[in-house]
Amino acid sequence: MNKVRYVYGLTSALLVGGATLSLITGSPVGAQVAQNDGAVMDRMVPVAGAPASFADLTAQLQPAVVNIATRQRVEVANNPFAGTPFAELFNRRGGSGGNGQPATREAQSLGSGFIISADGFVVTNNHVVNPPDTRAKLESITVTLPDGTEYEADLVGADAASDLAVLKIRANRTFPFVRFGDSSAARVGEWVVAIGNPFGLGGTVTSGIISAVYRNTGQGGPYDRYIQTDASINRGNSGGPLFDMRGNVIGINNAIFSPSGGSVGIGFAIPAEIAAPIVEQLRAGREIERGFLGVGLAPIDEDIASSLGLQKRRGELVQTVQDDSPAMRAGLRPGDILTKVNGQDVTADQSVSFLVANLQPGAQVPVELLRNGSRLNVNVTLGKRPTEAELQQQVQTFDPDAEEPMAPGTSNSTIEQKLGMQVTPMTPAIARSLGVPADISGVVIAAVDPNADAARKGLRRGDIILSANYKAVASIEELLAQVESAVSENRDALLLRVQRRTQPPAFVAVRMR
């Protein structure tokens, strides 16, 4: 279960003073009546005031809700002599897992899901089957039905941006299943039921009401838009369904706000209107394509609104514009305030990221903005949104002075083994961090084994490899080709041309291991 983290303050539960109680006497004006007028409420609320029981609804729905257990293999560094003169000896003895290979450990995760078809397709969260640790390799998925029957399942498709995944149970039988409902019709105050597997306890049912629809948590991203509920949701409920009183899935339990790690009555579910189309594409094996603008944005908070004379919670401020992005080509600039995208208002509940992500790459979209107090309209041809991993790499800052150790499984293993270094592709963000031109061609050293010849020759994190054996290397694949060529020709060293910040390029011969 994801935890949505906030900076929060403790406030008093009792409001003493500062409140004004207004008493209105006399007859109502026109047709106006009190919101809780008895005659009105009699028509809206059952005499009992609440469902007499959720038992029949639960008995009907629970057979289609499943427990999901996964097993992953994670590479770990377990060399106790790493960074010491004994590290190489330890590696030669196979202390990193045998034959010099990294050691591995087994990891597990538990979550919930629900069956959406009689032939055994299952919906869950992506983070249940693809944990955030990028070094983890998924080995198996086990789906357990409420009656305790276990089945192996295959991952059909997963989408990190929406945190959704679709599985297929390996069984030739008919399964109970449930259907998506219309979450756009959900209203604050309606009853909902959450069924899942919190803390590995097995099938658990909780009830509550919808606390908010289209809740933006402030975490960013194209799908920061949730149904909020006070139905108890805890670790292990991830991927489980949130049902309305008609038995339709109107949400997929995804995250909680929790200072303590347990439920405090603020849970978030992915709305069915967002999830259902994505699930159908994943089920069909189609790639999820989303529009992309290429800007860094900030909401219009009270201070920004006051400084510019704007309405609060309306529009978003452009902080950055990516190089060679659709936004840059359309002429957007830092400081612009985007107020409408494709004719729809930009609000706290309807962010630019959400509006753009729900449009197709290549679409021409009108964007309304404010610039220096003037209202402008521009047309943007959207690009294709990069993967979440690529986006993360774009926003990561590269500190060349950080002492980063060699991390197993994060670079090309042949280059690591032969040259004793890890390399990463050059990006505009890394180029800015290094203070070199954005169009420079080469690969960047990310880490160096202190026991390798590369370290003895003075190579370090942040150095740029421009060529190898006089062949330009603009990618990791091109560097790998030169390493393999040198190995095939029985050469003991590779001649690298390396550039360091503020220094001219120099040739360095690095002995291979």
Side-chain angles (χ1 to χ4, degrees):
M1 173 64 64
N2 281 349
K3 278 198 278 186
V4 179
R5 300 187 180 275
Y6 292 86
V7 177
Y8 63 96
L10 182 63
T11 59
S12 173
L14 299 177
L15 301 180
V16 183
T20 302
L21 178 63
S22 298
L23 298 178
I24 302 176
T25 59
S27 59
V29 178
Q32 185 176 1
V33 296
Q35 292 299 107
N36 59 343
D37 180 81
V40 175
M41 300 305 292
D42 287 344
R43 296 195 302 269
M44 297 175 62
V45 181
V47 175
S53 171
F54 296 104
D56 290 340
L57 189 67
T58 300
Q60 184 71 22
L61 300 174
Q62 197 164 28
V65 182
V66 300
N67 168 39
I68 298 172
T70 70
R71 188 171 70 249
Q72 307 104 31
R73 185 66 57 183
V74 183
E75 287 188 357
V76 295
N78 66 346
N79 185 344
F81 299 106
T84 74
F86 300 99
E88 187 62 27
L89 176 63
F90 187 87
N91 286 336
R92 286 201 301 268
R93 290 178 176 174
S96 294
N99 300 320
Q101 298 301 313
T104 62
R105 64 175 174 84
E106 188 176 277
Q108 296 178 332
S109 66
L110 286 174
S112 305
F114 55 98
I115 306 172
I116 59 169
S117 65
D119 54 349
F121 280 93
V122 176
V123 174
T124 187
N125 284 151
N126 174 66
H127 74 261
V128 171
V129 294
N130 288 313
D133 189 338
T134 56
R135 296 173 299 167
K137 295 181 180 179
L138 183 66
E139 290 196 332
S140 68
I141 304 173
T142 302
V143 171
T144 304
L145 273 57
D147 63 5
T149 308
E150 294 185 356
Y151 296 95
E152 294 300 305
D154 297 311
L155 179 61
V156 176
D159 179 50
S162 61
D163 199 16
L164 294 169
V166 175
L167 316 177
K168 177 64 171 67
I169 299 175
R170 296 181 195 167
N172 186 20
R173 55 156 285 190
T174 299
F175 292 94
F177 64 95
V178 291
R179 293 188 175 93
F180 283 109
D182 181 9
S183 62
S184 65
R187 300 172 64 197
V188 172
E190 289 183 334
W191 284 98
V192 286
V193 170
I195 304 179
N197 181 49
F199 301 113
L201 294 173
T204 298
V205 182
T206 57
S207 67
I209 62 170
I210 295 176
S211 306
V213 292
Y214 302 144
R215 174 69 78 206
N216 186 307
T217 66
Q219 302 301 295
Y223 296 109
D224 188 12
R225 195 180 191 192
Y226 298 95
I227 295 173
Q228 181 182 325
T229 179
D230 69 344
S232 293
I233 295 173
N234 288 287
R235 297 177 184 272
N237 272 115
S238 277
L242 187 70
F243 291 105
D244 63 16
M245 290 298 97
R246 297 176 182 82
N248 296 313
V249 179
I250 61 167
I252 301 173
N253 300 322
N254 180 257
I256 59 174
F257 162 54
S258 176
S260 62
S263 173
V264 294
I266 302 178
F268 302 102
I270 303 168
E273 62 183 297
I274 290 176
I278 296 173
V279 165
E280 283 306 307
Q281 292 184 67
L282 293 175
R283 182 177 171 180
R286 296 197 298 270
E287 181 184 4
I288 309 296
E289 293 189 344
R290 301 178 175 87
F292 181 67
L293 194 56
V295 291
L297 298 164
I300 302 297
D301 61 20
E302 185 173 354
D303 291 336
I304 294 176
S306 177
S307 67
L308 298 175
L310 302 172
Q311 284 185 305
K312 291 183 294 183
R313 299 173 63 83
R314 290 291 184 273
E316 291 184 85
L317 175 67
V318 176
Q319 299 276 33
T320 59
V321 178
Q322 292 186 12
D323 296 333
D324 195 31
S325 65
M328 175 170 282
R329 289 191 288 272
L332 296 185
R333 306 174 189 170
D336 288 345
I337 298 170
L338 307 187
T339 56
K340 284 188 177 182
V341 174
N342 205 30
Q344 299 189 62
D345 289 333
V346 176
T347 66
D349 297 330
Q350 190 166 255
S351 66
V352 172
S353 294
F354 175 79
L355 294 171
V356 170
N358 283 278
L359 297 170
Q360 288 297 307
Q364 287 196 347
V365 179
V367 175
E368 184 179 288
L369 59 93
L370 293 174
R371 180 182 295 167
N372 297 325
S374 299
R375 194 171 299 276
L376 302 176
N377 290 280
V378 299
N379 288 318
V380 181
T381 301
L382 299 180
K384 179 181 176 182
R385 182 180 174 86
T387 66
E388 295 306 297
E390 291 169 339
L391 287 172
Q392 185 66 24
Q393 188 178 57
Q394 289 175 6
V395 300
Q396 282 180 338
T397 58
F398 185 89
D399 183 1
D401 298 319
E403 295 184 2
E404 295 288 338
M406 297 272 284
T410 60
S411 182
N412 183 273
S413 58
T414 300
I415 294 174
E416 289 182 23
Q417 180 183 358
K418 293 298 182 182
L419 295 180
M421 65 175 69
Q422 292 179 330
V423 295
T424 188
M426 174 64 75
T427 66
I430 293 178
R432 286 193 295 271
S433 298
L434 298 176
V436 297
D439 58 354
I440 191 170
S441 181
V443 296
V444 183
I445 297 177
V448 178
D449 183 345
N451 301 293
D453 187 57
R456 289 189 286 272
K457 296 293 175 59
L459 298 187
R460 65 191 190 199
R461 176 178 167 86
D463 289 346
I464 305 168
I465 300 175
L466 304 174
S467 68
N469 279 355
Y470 299 108
K471 300 291 185 181
V473 290
S475 66
I476 293 176
E477 290 73 22
E478 290 179 354
L479 176 60
L480 175 62
Q482 294 308 311
V483 171
E484 292 176 338
S485 175
V487 171
S488 66
E489 296 173 8
N490 295 319
R491 298 184 185 179
D492 294 327
L494 191 67
L495 184 63
L496 304 178
R497 190 166 188 249
V498 180
Q499 181 172 349
R500 182 168 295 166
R501 292 175 296 167
T502 72
Q503 297 183 16
F507 285 100
V508 179
V510 176
R511 295 190 64 82
M512 295 188 294
R513 302 191 289 191

